[in-house]
Amino acid sequence: MIITNNLTLMKLPYLKHSFSILLLNKVKCMYLFLEVVVASNNVWQDISSQLNNRMSINALHVFVYKGYHGIKEKLGLTQIKSLDVVLPKNTILSNLDQSSDFEPSDKLDSDLPNKKFVITFCAEEWKEIQPQTVQYKLLDKKRSLQHSKSYEVLPKNRWTPLIAEHFWIHTQLPCCLSFCRAKVSLNGDNYVSVVGRCSVYGSYFKGIVSEKPPDNARVLMQCSYVGNFNEPHKVIKKRRMIGPVIEKALSHIVKEGMSCETYRENEAVRLMKTNDLEPSIIPTGHALRNFKRRQRLNNERNSNKLKALCMMKTENEFKSVINDIGLDPFFLFYHTDATGSVVSNFRKYDMEKTKYIFLYEALVYDEENNYSFTVSNMLSERHSNVAIFNWLTNWKICDIPLPKITVCDQSLALLSAVVQCFTQYSSL
């Protein structure tokens, strides 16, 4: 939105619910708006293009949003009461700092619903999110002797998931809270001030811890949630997975081998009641699968599967497990004390894809304890009696007693290899 000498105006990026009067080539036009659209909206690019890019998109957005140089008054914008909310001064949040851009400037509309509740952090939870001292570098030329300044801040990516979960427990609202900031003031009226906003309906959340708590004590946060949160939530937006949410999910999905949908079901049982809408703090199955895939990629020794196996063979953990590897055709002998797993096809030398890889498994029956356990495995492209004989012979030379009875299916390759390896005969 730009005023030139002849009062010609560009596009005005406002939405509905308040009125703005503007002149476009001296013609009055009326627009209904709620708030200035975000800087990523295409309207700012259109305005910048009409100005021959003399003003950047972000600069235009800030110029209009902040109302610099009395731009709103010069345009004749009527001062309509905004739906942005601020709590009354007689409430417990009256001393909360109002400097954030997301903070409203008008008094609370009495018609808007208001929820008040108290979040109780146990001592262990508070230790996870309690303020920490962080030093920032100073590049102020006027303070050449001062190179850094320290602040008390809540630990990054740790406090927002915890508050969001407590918010759901107290309200049972599926609102997707986006936290604007957390301010820590050692000498102020409130020790910790937290401000958040529903990214869908624009309701405001505020929470304060009035005084610094003693060590190993429970901490109370006085909270208020104001806005149109009672409207039906037709779209359930999910919170981004960060910090402890990722750690917890990966611990169950990757380390324990739990499926993504089972993890979601367990979280639903833990957090939800009958007929509840799905909360924004339960991640989607798609998000969980993405993190699982990324974690597995990070854990890989090498993107080339053959190189990764060769690297594992030299490590102490797998030196006695991986016994032999062949490249063309591919085979792998490994001796374990637990059942193996079937692998999918992969590309050899990053070019040729392997044929079907079969898993061969040798089990030993323990008569005393009455159970069977795996002693050796082979993954192989080859399914001949020579390949199976080489595998069994490789296991036999590990100084193990020969089996008195061997059981297998009616595969000729298996029968021939077993006879050659464990008897005095050279063939069937």
Side-chain angles (χ1 to χ4, degrees), residues 20-32:
S20 171
I21 307 296
L22 59 127
L23 298 175
L24 181 58
N25 293 327
K26 300 183 180 180
V27 178
K28 291 185 177 180
C29 299
M30 183 174 291
Y31 284 80
L32 199 65

PDB file of all heavy atoms in Angstrom, residues 20-32:
ATOM      1  N   SER A  20     -11.839  -0.272   5.902  1.00  0.00           N
ATOM      2  CA  SER A  20     -10.744   0.586   5.500  1.00  0.00           C
ATOM      3  C   SER A  20     -11.202   1.408   4.309  1.00  0.00           C
ATOM      4  O   SER A  20     -11.706   0.858   3.340  1.00  0.00           O
ATOM      5  CB  SER A  20      -9.528  -0.250   5.127  1.00  0.00           C
ATOM      6  OG  SER A  20      -8.558   0.568   4.547  1.00  0.00           O
ATOM      7  N   ILE A  21     -11.054   2.721   4.385  1.00  0.00           N
ATOM      8  CA  ILE A  21     -11.397   3.602   3.279  1.00  0.00           C
ATOM      9  C   ILE A  21     -10.116   4.008   2.585  1.00  0.00           C
ATOM     10  O   ILE A  21      -9.175   4.427   3.218  1.00  0.00           O
ATOM     11  CB  ILE A  21     -12.130   4.864   3.787  1.00  0.00           C
ATOM     12  CG1 ILE A  21     -13.306   4.466   4.657  1.00  0.00           C
ATOM     13  CG2 ILE A  21     -12.583   5.726   2.631  1.00  0.00           C
ATOM     14  CD1 ILE A  21     -14.375   3.702   3.942  1.00  0.00           C
ATOM     15  N   LEU A  22     -10.044   3.831   1.311  1.00  0.00           N
ATOM     16  CA  LEU A  22      -8.861   4.226   0.585  1.00  0.00           C
ATOM     17  C   LEU A  22      -9.267   4.888  -0.714  1.00  0.00           C
ATOM     18  O   LEU A  22     -10.387   4.715  -1.197  1.00  0.00           O
ATOM     19  CB  LEU A  22      -7.956   3.026   0.272  1.00  0.00           C
ATOM     20  CG  LEU A  22      -8.591   1.917  -0.547  1.00  0.00           C
ATOM     21  CD1 LEU A  22      -7.715   1.608  -1.753  1.00  0.00           C
ATOM     22  CD2 LEU A  22      -8.740   0.708   0.317  1.00  0.00           C
ATOM     23  N   LEU A  23      -8.351   5.664  -1.256  1.00  0.00           N
ATOM     24  CA  LEU A  23      -8.565   6.358  -2.523  1.00  0.00           C
ATOM     25  C   LEU A  23      -7.754   5.665  -3.597  1.00  0.00           C
ATOM     26  O   LEU A  23      -6.573   5.448  -3.433  1.00  0.00           O
ATOM     27  CB  LEU A  23      -8.118   7.824  -2.405  1.00  0.00           C
ATOM     28  CG  LEU A  23      -8.879   8.657  -1.381  1.00  0.00           C
ATOM     29  CD1 LEU A  23      -8.252  10.027  -1.278  1.00  0.00           C
ATOM     30  CD2 LEU A  23     -10.335   8.768  -1.748  1.00  0.00           C
ATOM     31  N   LEU A  24      -8.368   5.280  -4.645  1.00  0.00           N
ATOM     32  CA  LEU A  24      -7.690   4.684  -5.780  1.00  0.00           C
ATOM     33  C   LEU A  24      -8.009   5.553  -6.990  1.00  0.00           C
ATOM     34  O   LEU A  24      -9.106   5.497  -7.539  1.00  0.00           O
ATOM     35  CB  LEU A  24      -8.156   3.248  -6.004  1.00  0.00           C
ATOM     36  CG  LEU A  24      -7.498   2.499  -7.147  1.00  0.00           C
ATOM     37  CD1 LEU A  24      -6.007   2.441  -6.989  1.00  0.00           C
ATOM     38  CD2 LEU A  24      -8.091   1.108  -7.280  1.00  0.00           C
ATOM     39  N   ASN A  25      -6.962   6.364  -7.369  1.00  0.00           N
ATOM     40  CA  ASN A  25      -7.176   7.370  -8.413  1.00  0.00           C
ATOM     41  C   ASN A  25      -8.377   8.259  -8.092  1.00  0.00           C
ATOM     42  O   ASN A  25      -9.237   8.547  -8.918  1.00  0.00           O
ATOM     43  CB  ASN A  25      -7.385   6.716  -9.774  1.00  0.00           C
ATOM     44  CG  ASN A  25      -6.149   6.016 -10.268  1.00  0.00           C
ATOM     45  OD1 ASN A  25      -5.043   6.462  -9.981  1.00  0.00           O
ATOM     46  ND2 ASN A  25      -6.330   4.912 -10.986  1.00  0.00           N
ATOM     47  N   LYS A  26      -8.428   8.709  -6.810  1.00  0.00           N
ATOM     48  CA  LYS A  26      -9.444   9.613  -6.293  1.00  0.00           C
ATOM     49  C   LYS A  26     -10.855   9.017  -6.301  1.00  0.00           C
ATOM     50  O   LYS A  26     -11.831   9.746  -6.293  1.00  0.00           O
ATOM     51  CB  LYS A  26      -9.441  10.933  -7.078  1.00  0.00           C
ATOM     52  CG  LYS A  26      -8.116  11.672  -7.010  1.00  0.00           C
ATOM     53  CD  LYS A  26      -8.172  12.976  -7.722  1.00  0.00           C
ATOM     54  CE  LYS A  26      -6.819  13.700  -7.640  1.00  0.00           C
ATOM     55  NZ  LYS A  26      -6.821  14.992  -8.333  1.00  0.00           N
ATOM     56  N   VAL A  27     -10.942   7.677  -6.361  1.00  0.00           N
ATOM     57  CA  VAL A  27     -12.231   6.991  -6.268  1.00  0.00           C
ATOM     58  C   VAL A  27     -12.260   6.241  -4.950  1.00  0.00           C
ATOM     59  O   VAL A  27     -11.332   5.507  -4.636  1.00  0.00           O
ATOM     60  CB  VAL A  27     -12.420   5.996  -7.431  1.00  0.00           C
ATOM     61  CG1 VAL A  27     -13.749   5.255  -7.282  1.00  0.00           C
ATOM     62  CG2 VAL A  27     -12.411   6.753  -8.751  1.00  0.00           C
ATOM     63  N   LYS A  28     -13.327   6.433  -4.181  1.00  0.00           N
ATOM     64  CA  LYS A  28     -13.411   5.794  -2.875  1.00  0.00           C
ATOM     65  C   LYS A  28     -13.834   4.336  -3.031  1.00  0.00           C
ATOM     66  O   LYS A  28     -14.754   4.026  -3.753  1.00  0.00           O
ATOM     67  CB  LYS A  28     -14.431   6.506  -1.986  1.00  0.00           C
ATOM     68  CG  LYS A  28     -13.981   7.904  -1.572  1.00  0.00           C
ATOM     69  CD  LYS A  28     -14.956   8.507  -0.592  1.00  0.00           C
ATOM     70  CE  LYS A  28     -14.479   9.869  -0.114  1.00  0.00           C
ATOM     71  NZ  LYS A  28     -15.394  10.479   0.846  1.00  0.00           N
ATOM     72  N   CYS A  29     -13.090   3.479  -2.338  1.00  0.00           N
ATOM     73  CA  CYS A  29     -13.419   2.053  -2.328  1.00  0.00           C
ATOM     74  C   CYS A  29     -13.429   1.591  -0.888  1.00  0.00           C
ATOM     75  O   CYS A  29     -12.637   2.061  -0.082  1.00  0.00           O
ATOM     76  CB  CYS A  29     -12.396   1.240  -3.118  1.00  0.00           C
ATOM     77  SG  CYS A  29     -12.303   1.709  -4.844  1.00  0.00           S
ATOM     78  N   MET A  30     -14.313   0.685  -0.562  1.00  0.00           N
ATOM     79  CA  MET A  30     -14.438   0.193   0.807  1.00  0.00           C
ATOM     80  C   MET A  30     -14.064  -1.287   0.853  1.00  0.00           C
ATOM     81  O   MET A  30     -14.526  -2.059   0.033  1.00  0.00           O
ATOM     82  CB  MET A  30     -15.857   0.401   1.322  1.00  0.00           C
ATOM     83  CG  MET A  30     -16.061  -0.033   2.776  1.00  0.00           C
ATOM     84  SD  MET A  30     -17.693   0.391   3.391  1.00  0.00           S
ATOM     85  CE  MET A  30     -17.568   2.157   3.447  1.00  0.00           C
ATOM     86  N   TYR A  31     -13.206  -1.635   1.813  1.00  0.00           N
ATOM     87  CA  TYR A  31     -12.795  -3.022   1.968  1.00  0.00           C
ATOM     88  C   TYR A  31     -13.055  -3.455   3.409  1.00  0.00           C
ATOM     89  O   TYR A  31     -12.842  -2.696   4.337  1.00  0.00           O
ATOM     90  CB  TYR A  31     -11.296  -3.187   1.664  1.00  0.00           C
ATOM     91  CG  TYR A  31     -10.985  -3.148   0.200  1.00  0.00           C
ATOM     92  CD1 TYR A  31     -10.906  -1.926  -0.459  1.00  0.00           C
ATOM     93  CD2 TYR A  31     -10.761  -4.318  -0.513  1.00  0.00           C
ATOM     94  CE1 TYR A  31     -10.609  -1.875  -1.804  1.00  0.00           C
ATOM     95  CE2 TYR A  31     -10.474  -4.269  -1.851  1.00  0.00           C
ATOM     96  CZ  TYR A  31     -10.408  -3.043  -2.500  1.00  0.00           C
ATOM     97  OH  TYR A  31     -10.123  -3.003  -3.827  1.00  0.00           O
ATOM     98  N   LEU A  32     -13.493  -4.693   3.555  1.00  0.00           N
ATOM     99  CA  LEU A  32     -13.719  -5.292   4.874  1.00  0.00           C
ATOM    100  C   LEU A  32     -12.500  -6.122   5.234  1.00  0.00           C
ATOM    101  O   LEU A  32     -12.079  -6.951   4.443  1.00  0.00           O
ATOM    102  CB  LEU A  32     -14.950  -6.202   4.824  1.00  0.00           C
ATOM    103  CG  LEU A  32     -15.603  -6.561   6.160  1.00  0.00           C
ATOM    104  CD1 LEU A  32     -16.163  -5.302   6.795  1.00  0.00           C
ATOM    105  CD2 LEU A  32     -16.725  -7.559   5.922  1.00  0.00           C
TER     106      LEU A  32
END
